[in-house]
Amino acid sequence: MTEVPLWSAHVTALDGHRTVRLAGELDMAAADELIELLLAELGTPGAAAVEADLGAVTFFDSAALGALIVAYQRAEETDRQFSVTNPTRTVRRVLEITGVYDFLVRPA
């Protein structure tokens, strides 16, 4: 039996800006792959900024939050930008409760 992934990512690039559109359930099962994906995008030659678009995320836990923080820290260390856009209500609540909303989410 083939296991269907509960989340997906689609990456687009324009000039030095990369957008990672995430969908589905971002949880402990997805966290390691999510970190790997975000760090790879931040490490792409010529990438000055990476944006994680969370507009289609249906579930978001502390492991997924940790992945975003790891990406944010790597961006800071490498003089690049990392931000979150379009957080769903579920995601926004987690980001606000944990106190990271203001530095992760780019104003619309």
Side-chain angles (χ1 to χ4, degrees):
M1 181 176 194
T2 304
E3 190 172 319
V4 177
L6 298 177
W7 71 285
S8 64
H10 177 75
V11 179
T12 57
L14 180 63
D15 300 322
H17 185 91
R18 303 182 74 75
T19 301
V20 181
R21 286 184 174 78
L22 298 164
E25 299 179 13
L26 297 181
D27 58 12
M28 185 170 53
D32 289 341
E33 281 185 77
L34 180 57
I35 290 170
E36 188 176 312
L37 170 65
L38 295 174
L39 295 184
E41 292 306 317
L42 283 164
T44 301
V50 173
E51 168 186 315
D53 181 340
L54 305 183
V57 172
T58 57
F59 182 82
F60 187 82
D61 73 2
S62 61
L65 174 63
L68 297 182
I69 292 171
V70 166
Y72 178 84
Q73 290 171 331
R74 175 66 59 85
E76 291 285 304
E77 293 167 1
T78 58
D79 204 26
R80 296 182 181 203
Q81 294 179 349
F82 176 79
S83 61
V84 168
T85 58
N86 302 318
T88 60
R89 182 175 175 207
T90 301
V91 173
R92 181 183 179 113
R93 180 157 167 75
V94 172
L95 298 178
E96 288 176 338
I97 288 171
T98 57
V100 299
Y101 181 88
D102 289 337
F103 69 87
L104 281 182
V105 178
R106 188 180 73 198

